[in-house]
PDB file of all heavy atoms in Angstrom:
ATOM      1  N   THR A  83      19.553 -13.866 -94.049  1.00 60.00           N
ATOM      2  CA  THR A  83      19.501 -12.625 -94.736  1.00 60.00           C
ATOM      3  C   THR A  83      18.616 -11.589 -94.252  1.00 60.00           C
ATOM      4  O   THR A  83      18.546 -10.470 -94.467  1.00 60.00           O
ATOM      5  CB  THR A  83      18.980 -12.897 -96.266  1.00 60.00           C
ATOM      6  OG1 THR A  83      17.772 -13.674 -96.197  1.00 60.00           O
ATOM      7  CG2 THR A  83      20.035 -13.829 -96.879  1.00 60.00           C
ATOM      8  N   SER A  84      17.618 -12.082 -93.374  1.00 74.00           N
ATOM      9  CA  SER A  84      16.685 -11.200 -92.665  1.00 74.00           C
ATOM     10  C   SER A  84      16.334 -11.490 -91.348  1.00 74.00           C
ATOM     11  O   SER A  84      15.641 -12.521 -91.056  1.00 74.00           O
ATOM     12  CB  SER A  84      15.369 -11.143 -93.588  1.00 74.00           C
ATOM     13  OG  SER A  84      14.439 -10.388 -92.950  1.00 74.00           O
ATOM     14  N   ILE A  85      17.052 -10.801 -90.399  1.00 91.00           N
ATOM     15  CA  ILE A  85      16.801 -10.984 -88.999  1.00 91.00           C
ATOM     16  C   ILE A  85      16.255  -9.766 -88.368  1.00 91.00           C
ATOM     17  O   ILE A  85      16.787  -8.688 -88.566  1.00 91.00           O
ATOM     18  CB  ILE A  85      18.051 -11.579 -88.215  1.00 91.00           C
ATOM     19  CG1 ILE A  85      18.519 -12.867 -88.900  1.00 91.00           C
ATOM     20  CG2 ILE A  85      17.806 -11.735 -86.793  1.00 91.00           C
ATOM     21  CD1 ILE A  85      19.777 -13.427 -88.250  1.00 91.00           C
ATOM     22  N   GLN A  86      15.258  -9.861 -87.415  1.00 94.00           N
ATOM     23  CA  GLN A  86      14.783  -8.854 -86.693  1.00 94.00           C
ATOM     24  C   GLN A  86      14.614  -9.178 -85.292  1.00 94.00           C
ATOM     25  O   GLN A  86      14.356 -10.405 -85.007  1.00 94.00           O
ATOM     26  CB  GLN A  86      13.435  -8.297 -87.266  1.00 94.00           C
ATOM     27  CG  GLN A  86      13.507  -7.727 -88.559  1.00 94.00           C
ATOM     28  CD  GLN A  86      12.173  -7.151 -89.091  1.00 94.00           C
ATOM     29  OE1 GLN A  86      11.100  -7.743 -88.609  1.00 94.00           O
ATOM     30  NE2 GLN A  86      12.173  -6.295 -90.095  1.00 94.00           N
ATOM     31  N   ASP A  87      14.569  -8.219 -84.392  1.00 97.00           N
ATOM     32  CA  ASP A  87      14.281  -8.609 -82.974  1.00 97.00           C
ATOM     33  C   ASP A  87      12.743  -8.510 -82.726  1.00 97.00           C
ATOM     34  O   ASP A  87      12.022  -8.350 -83.797  1.00 97.00           O
ATOM     35  CB  ASP A  87      14.946  -7.730 -82.009  1.00 97.00           C
ATOM     36  CG  ASP A  87      14.446  -6.300 -81.716  1.00 97.00           C
ATOM     37  OD1 ASP A  87      13.719  -5.913 -82.744  1.00 97.00           O
ATOM     38  OD2 ASP A  87      14.723  -5.718 -80.661  1.00 97.00           O
ATOM     39  N   THR A  89      10.957  -6.219 -81.607  1.00 97.00           N
ATOM     40  CA  THR A  89      10.413  -4.905 -81.819  1.00 97.00           C
ATOM     41  C   THR A  89      10.586  -4.475 -83.320  1.00 97.00           C
ATOM     42  O   THR A  89      10.034  -3.395 -83.718  1.00 97.00           O
ATOM     43  CB  THR A  89      11.163  -3.861 -81.013  1.00 97.00           C
ATOM     44  OG1 THR A  89      12.422  -3.677 -81.449  1.00 97.00           O
ATOM     45  CG2 THR A  89      11.143  -4.312 -79.520  1.00 97.00           C
ATOM     46  N   GLY A  90      11.136  -5.354 -84.135  1.00 96.00           N
ATOM     47  CA  GLY A  90      11.304  -5.090 -85.567  1.00 96.00           C
ATOM     48  C   GLY A  90      12.563  -4.441 -85.930  1.00 96.00           C
ATOM     49  O   GLY A  90      12.803  -4.162 -87.181  1.00 96.00           O
ATOM     50  N   LEU A  91      13.550  -4.329 -84.951  1.00 97.00           N
ATOM     51  CA  LEU A  91      14.757  -3.666 -85.358  1.00 97.00           C
ATOM     52  C   LEU A  91      15.565  -4.711 -86.108  1.00 97.00           C
ATOM     53  O   LEU A  91      15.588  -5.905 -85.898  1.00 97.00           O
ATOM     54  CB  LEU A  91      15.602  -3.477 -84.026  1.00 97.00           C
ATOM     55  CG  LEU A  91      15.189  -2.163 -83.220  1.00 97.00           C
ATOM     56  CD1 LEU A  91      16.026  -2.139 -81.943  1.00 97.00           C
ATOM     57  CD2 LEU A  91      15.444  -0.919 -83.981  1.00 97.00           C
ATOM     58  N   SER A  92      16.298  -4.223 -87.135  1.00 95.00           N
ATOM     59  CA  SER A  92      17.195  -5.129 -88.038  1.00 95.00           C
ATOM     60  C   SER A  92      18.425  -5.552 -87.328  1.00 95.00           C
ATOM     61  O   SER A  92      19.036  -4.762 -86.557  1.00 95.00           O
ATOM     62  CB  SER A  92      17.571  -4.154 -89.278  1.00 95.00           C
ATOM     63  OG  SER A  92      18.325  -5.099 -90.172  1.00 95.00           O
ATOM     64  N   ILE A  93      18.710  -6.887 -87.392  1.00 95.00           N
ATOM     65  CA  ILE A  93      19.903  -7.456 -86.876  1.00 95.00           C
ATOM     66  C   ILE A  93      20.719  -8.029 -88.001  1.00 95.00           C
ATOM     67  O   ILE A  93      20.308  -8.759 -88.845  1.00 95.00           O
ATOM     68  CB  ILE A  93      19.548  -8.627 -85.908  1.00 95.00           C
ATOM     69  CG1 ILE A  93      18.784  -7.961 -84.570  1.00 95.00           C
ATOM     70  CG2 ILE A  93      20.663  -9.337 -85.324  1.00 95.00           C
ATOM     71  CD1 ILE A  93      18.303  -8.943 -83.665  1.00 95.00           C
ATOM     72  N   SER A  94      22.076  -7.732 -87.841  1.00 94.00           N
ATOM     73  CA  SER A  94      23.047  -8.409 -88.834  1.00 94.00           C
ATOM     74  C   SER A  94      24.014  -9.064 -88.062  1.00 94.00           C
ATOM     75  O   SER A  94      24.728  -8.461 -87.110  1.00 94.00           O
ATOM     76  CB  SER A  94      23.643  -7.189 -89.583  1.00 94.00           C
ATOM     77  OG  SER A  94      24.644  -7.820 -90.532  1.00 94.00           O
ATOM     78  N   THR A 181      25.173  -6.340 -85.332  1.00 96.00           N
ATOM     79  CA  THR A 181      24.659  -5.130 -84.954  1.00 96.00           C
ATOM     80  C   THR A 181      23.121  -5.349 -84.877  1.00 96.00           C
ATOM     81  O   THR A 181      22.586  -6.142 -85.447  1.00 96.00           O
ATOM     82  CB  THR A 181      24.936  -4.133 -86.030  1.00 96.00           C
ATOM     83  OG1 THR A 181      24.276  -4.554 -87.343  1.00 96.00           O
ATOM     84  CG2 THR A 181      26.338  -3.865 -86.217  1.00 96.00           C
ATOM     85  N   VAL A 182      22.505  -4.437 -84.026  1.00 97.00           N
ATOM     86  CA  VAL A 182      21.023  -4.349 -83.909  1.00 97.00           C
ATOM     87  C   VAL A 182      20.629  -2.855 -83.938  1.00 97.00           C
ATOM     88  O   VAL A 182      21.085  -2.048 -83.151  1.00 97.00           O
ATOM     89  CB  VAL A 182      20.609  -5.016 -82.537  1.00 97.00           C
ATOM     90  CG1 VAL A 182      21.230  -4.511 -81.334  1.00 97.00           C
ATOM     91  CG2 VAL A 182      19.050  -4.889 -82.469  1.00 97.00           C
ATOM     92  N   GLY A 183      19.858  -2.630 -84.820  1.00 95.00           N
ATOM     93  CA  GLY A 183      19.352  -1.185 -85.061  1.00 95.00           C
ATOM     94  C   GLY A 183      20.658  -0.267 -85.214  1.00 95.00           C
ATOM     95  O   GLY A 183      20.571   0.901 -84.913  1.00 95.00           O
ATOM     96  N   GLY A 184      21.740  -0.812 -85.831  1.00 92.00           N
ATOM     97  CA  GLY A 184      22.776  -0.055 -86.050  1.00 92.00           C
ATOM     98  C   GLY A 184      23.924  -0.059 -85.016  1.00 92.00           C
ATOM     99  O   GLY A 184      25.094   0.325 -85.065  1.00 92.00           O
ATOM    100  N   ASN A 185      23.466  -0.555 -83.838  1.00 97.00           N
ATOM    101  CA  ASN A 185      24.366  -0.569 -82.564  1.00 97.00           C
ATOM    102  C   ASN A 185      25.139  -1.982 -82.678  1.00 97.00           C
ATOM    103  O   ASN A 185      24.517  -3.026 -82.734  1.00 97.00           O
ATOM    104  CB  ASN A 185      23.686  -0.442 -81.357  1.00 97.00           C
ATOM    105  CG  ASN A 185      23.151   0.960 -81.019  1.00 97.00           C
ATOM    106  OD1 ASN A 185      23.791   1.929 -81.616  1.00 97.00           O
ATOM    107  ND2 ASN A 185      22.115   1.038 -80.322  1.00 97.00           N
ATOM    108  N   PHE A 187      27.163  -5.223 -81.048  1.00 98.00           N
ATOM    109  CA  PHE A 187      27.047  -5.991 -79.812  1.00 98.00           C
ATOM    110  C   PHE A 187      27.735  -7.302 -79.979  1.00 98.00           C
ATOM    111  O   PHE A 187      27.979  -7.811 -81.054  1.00 98.00           O
ATOM    112  CB  PHE A 187      25.600  -6.232 -79.419  1.00 98.00           C
ATOM    113  CG  PHE A 187      24.842  -7.209 -80.260  1.00 98.00           C
ATOM    114  CD1 PHE A 187      24.769  -8.590 -79.957  1.00 98.00           C
ATOM    115  CD2 PHE A 187      24.242  -6.885 -81.438  1.00 98.00           C
ATOM    116  CE1 PHE A 187      24.094  -9.538 -80.733  1.00 98.00           C
ATOM    117  CE2 PHE A 187      23.668  -7.848 -82.336  1.00 98.00           C
ATOM    118  CZ  PHE A 187      23.470  -9.090 -81.901  1.00 98.00           C
ATOM    119  N   MET A 228      15.738  -6.610 -78.225  1.00 98.00           N
ATOM    120  CA  MET A 228      17.098  -6.157 -78.208  1.00 98.00           C
ATOM    121  C   MET A 228      17.265  -4.705 -78.318  1.00 98.00           C
ATOM    122  O   MET A 228      18.313  -4.086 -78.397  1.00 98.00           O
ATOM    123  CB  MET A 228      17.933  -6.799 -79.353  1.00 98.00           C
ATOM    124  CG  MET A 228      17.859  -8.296 -79.384  1.00 98.00           C
ATOM    125  SD  MET A 228      19.069  -9.006 -78.312  1.00 98.00           S
ATOM    126  CE  MET A 228      20.605  -8.687 -79.116  1.00 98.00           C
TER     127      MET A 228
END
Side-chain angles (χ1 to χ4, degrees):
T83 56
S84 178
I85 299 181
Q86 294 181 336
D87 81 337
T89 71
L91 285 175
S92 177
I93 294 175
S94 176
T181 62
V182 54
N185 290 334
F187 72 94
M228 301 279 289

